[in-house]
């Protein structure tokens, strides 16, 4: 039978969908290419140097932060031990914040071309790659995901834009490959923000290492978890699930969704826990989608983008003060979404043209956004109204 153009298009789309995730990793990786691209860095730099807002204000906020302190002394240790709710906290805060500082200094280097900032970023990365061997205790996977999300962002900028040399870049790569990837690549059956942050780290590390196998594996887990984290009406009566969690009854699913039994588009698995943890999940989704776009596969046009758009809008509405209805989380929400809207807002509103009224209002209210001191930092600077 001769195919009509419509049937041929449908067949091509189906074939493309079935090809996932084998075609996920690019044949050639783009660098710098973890969350922020060279084009985005160039745009941000040009705006800061021109004194344009909000980028100049965002840059000034970054440079006034503790993460840009040139007297910062790295505090590496061989074993980082992180328990539930940071008890114990043996190196956990130090590791995360040194990683954010490395990224902060890498951004400062790119904007100013002052080699002192590049050298400070290298100092922080070298200090940790010289000694770190393991993460332990119950929060080890999450800790590894958080710190592992910031390190490759710094490393990508330094390795691929700084011409002053980084002799220990190979040792840093070995640390990411041997200490970080094994802890995160298998995912997690905890609350969804864990696995999303872990996959953000795994994707970023895979880009830096140019590891197509781990990139594909992390992306496949990310796609499954994103679909199980944000509900769309098209999912059916109940949210999607991650097969390994055996959430095979309505009762189990409701319990996992923090007791919420009414499912509406944009609700997340952790909305009724609090919006802070929800923000972690949303942020990780946006970061992976952005990295994927830079690497040549635009997830914003898939269900990932749709889920991200609705999750942002749903959470932003209540963060902005809309009264919480009785059917939602018992009529009470714990607010505090965090500085997590810029990447998704820029991609989905500015680039793709979705209205996103609530997300835009919250984004503008939060500008210039800072850091959540875990794995999010300076996204008004890097992604605010950035056309690249």
């Amino acid at each position: 039978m001769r195919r009509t153009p419509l049937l041929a298009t449908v067949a091509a789309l189906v074939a493309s969908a079935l090809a996932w995730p084998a075609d996920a990793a690019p044949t050639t990786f783009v660098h710098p290419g973890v969350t922020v691209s060279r084009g985005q860095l160039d745009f941000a730099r040009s705006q800061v140097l021109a004194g344009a807002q909000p980028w100049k204000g965002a840059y000034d906020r970054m440079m006034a932060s503790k993460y840009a302190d040139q007297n910062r002394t790295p505090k590496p240790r061989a074993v980082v031990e992180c328990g539930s709710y940071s008890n114990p906290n043996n190196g956990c805060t130090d590791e995360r914040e040194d990683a954010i500082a490395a990224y902060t200094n890498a951004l400062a280097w790119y904007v100013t071309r002052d080699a002192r900032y590049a050298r400070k970023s290298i100092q922080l990365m070298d200090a940790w790659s010289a000694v770190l061997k393991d993460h332990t205790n119950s929060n080890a996977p999450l800790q590894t995901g958080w710190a592992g999300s910031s390190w490759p962002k710094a490393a990508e900028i330094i390795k691929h834009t700084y011409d002053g040399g980084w002799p220990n870049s190979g040792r840093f790569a070995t640390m990411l490959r041997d200490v970080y990837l094994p802890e995160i690549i298998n995912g997690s059956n905890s609350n969804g923000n864990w696995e999303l942050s872990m996959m953000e780290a795994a994707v970023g590390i895979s880009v830096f290492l140019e590891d197509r196998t781990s990139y594909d594996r992390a992306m496949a887990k990310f796609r499954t978890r994103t679909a199980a984290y944000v509900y769309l009406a098209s999912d059916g009566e109940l949210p999607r699930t991650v097969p390994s969690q055996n959430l095979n009854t309505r009762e189990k699913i409701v319990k996992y969704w923090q007791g919420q039994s009414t499912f509406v588009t944009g609700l997340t698995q952790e909305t009724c826990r609090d919006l802070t943890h929800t923000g972690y999940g949303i942020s990780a989704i946006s970061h992976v989608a952005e990295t994927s776009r830079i690497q040549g596969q635009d997830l914003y046009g898939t269900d990932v983008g749709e889920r991200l758009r609705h999750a942002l809008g749903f959470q932003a509405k209540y963060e902005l003060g809309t009264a919480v209805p009785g059917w939602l989380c018992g009529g009470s929400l714990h607010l505090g979404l965090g500085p997590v809207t810029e990447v998704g807002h820029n991609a989905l509103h500015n680039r793709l043209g979705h209205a996103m009224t609530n997300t835009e209002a919250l984004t503008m209210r939060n500008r210039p956004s800072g850091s959540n001191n875990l794995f999010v930092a300076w996204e008004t600077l890097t992604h605010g109204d950035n056309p690249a």
Side-chain angles (χ1 to χ4, degrees):
M1 184 182 78
R2 185 173 177 271
R3 284 181 174 176
T4 66
L6 176 60
L7 284 175
T9 301
V10 170
L13 288 171
V14 170
S16 174
L18 292 176
W20 184 273
D23 297 334
T27 303
T28 303
F29 284 96
V30 175
H31 303 289
V34 176
T35 309
V36 60
S37 68
R38 187 183 296 268
Q40 289 170 320
L41 290 166
D42 285 340
F43 174 80
R45 179 174 190 256
S46 70
Q47 299 306 108
V48 172
L49 296 181
Q53 299 298 350
W55 305 276
K56 179 62 164 61
Y59 175 78
D60 289 344
R61 181 174 183 184
M62 179 181 82
M63 297 308 291
S65 76
K66 62 184 177 182
Y67 298 114
D69 183 2
Q70 294 306 286
N71 294 315
R72 184 182 188 88
T73 301
K75 298 178 180 177
R77 60 175 70 207
V79 177
V80 174
E81 183 186 11
C82 306
S84 182
Y85 295 96
S86 300
N87 183 24
N89 180 347
N90 295 324
C92 316
T93 301
D94 293 336
E95 180 189 27
R96 293 192 306 265
E97 296 194 350
D98 277 349
I100 293 173
Y103 177 52
T104 299
N105 278 277
L107 290 173
W109 143 254
Y110 201 89
V111 170
T112 65
R113 297 299 198 269
D114 185 333
R116 290 177 300 172
Y117 296 118
R119 290 194 295 266
K120 174 57 72 170
S121 184
I122 289 169
Q123 179 201 14
L124 291 158
M125 291 188 284
D126 283 355
W128 280 89
S129 70
V131 302
L132 183 65
K133 300 299 180 190
D134 199 12
H135 297 88
T136 63
N137 214 314
S138 59
N139 268 29
L142 182 61
Q143 171 71 18
T144 309
W146 280 343
S149 294
S150 296
W151 287 130
K153 289 193 289 189
E156 279 282 295
I157 294 172
I158 295 300
K159 182 176 180 180
H160 298 286
T161 73
Y162 175 59
D163 57 8
W166 180 14
N168 290 315
S169 63
R171 188 179 74 194
F172 187 80
T174 298
M175 176 187 75
L176 294 181
R177 182 182 296 108
D178 295 349
V179 180
Y180 285 83
L181 260 185
E183 186 69 48
I184 56 180
I185 196 64
N186 293 319
S188 165
N189 287 326
S190 183
N191 282 301
N193 82 86
W194 278 50
E195 187 163 84
L196 289 167
S197 289
M198 291 161 70
M199 292 310 106
E200 177 188 343
V203 166
I205 289 169
S206 297
V207 170
F208 183 73
L209 298 178
E210 299 195 333
D211 183 337
R212 299 181 79 246
T213 300
S214 63
Y215 184 97
D216 283 351
R217 189 173 173 189
M219 273 293 184
K221 280 195 173 296
F222 168 77
R223 292 291 297 267
T224 300
R225 176 59 71 175
T226 298
Y229 193 70
V230 183
Y231 177 80
L232 296 177
S234 56
D235 293 335
E237 181 187 351
L238 295 172
R240 296 191 185 186
T241 61
V242 174
S244 60
Q245 292 191 259
N246 297 311
L247 298 173
N248 51 13
T249 68
R250 178 181 178 85
E251 183 182 19
K252 288 181 181 179
I253 291 171
V254 168
K255 182 178 179 181
Y256 186 59
W257 282 62
Q258 319 293 328
Q260 177 69 12
S261 58
T262 301
F263 302 103
V264 298
T265 293
L267 181 78
T268 81
Q269 181 255 315
E270 295 186 272
T271 299
C272 293
R273 181 187 185 187
D274 57 62
L275 295 198
T276 302
H277 286 87
T278 299
Y280 301 163
I282 290 173
S283 179
I285 292 170
S286 71
H287 291 165
V288 175
E290 193 70 3
T291 295
S292 179
R293 183 186 72 87
I294 294 166
Q295 297 304 325
Q297 185 180 45
D298 198 337
L299 294 181
Y300 290 116
T302 71
D303 79 297
V304 171
E306 189 178 3
R307 292 177 196 278
L308 175 60
R309 176 166 66 92
H310 287 295
L312 282 167
F314 187 84
Q315 272 45 236
K317 176 172 64 175
Y318 296 108
E319 188 75 16
L320 288 166
T322 295
V324 182
W327 59 263
L328 177 62
C329 310
S332 176
L333 282 174
H334 300 284
L335 304 181
L337 192 62
V340 302
T341 65
E342 287 280 14
V343 176
H345 173 263
N346 188 54
L348 295 163
H349 173 68
N350 293 336
R351 193 178 298 123
L352 295 182
H354 295 292
M356 301 182 73
T357 307
N358 290 318
T359 303
E360 179 159 30
L362 184 60
T363 300
M364 298 305 153
R365 190 179 81 177
N366 288 344
R367 283 184 175 176
S369 64
S371 174
N372 71 352
N373 304 310
L374 298 172
F375 70 103
V376 180
W378 322 126
E379 293 184 348
T380 298
L381 174 63
T382 56
H383 291 83
D385 301 337
N386 193 319

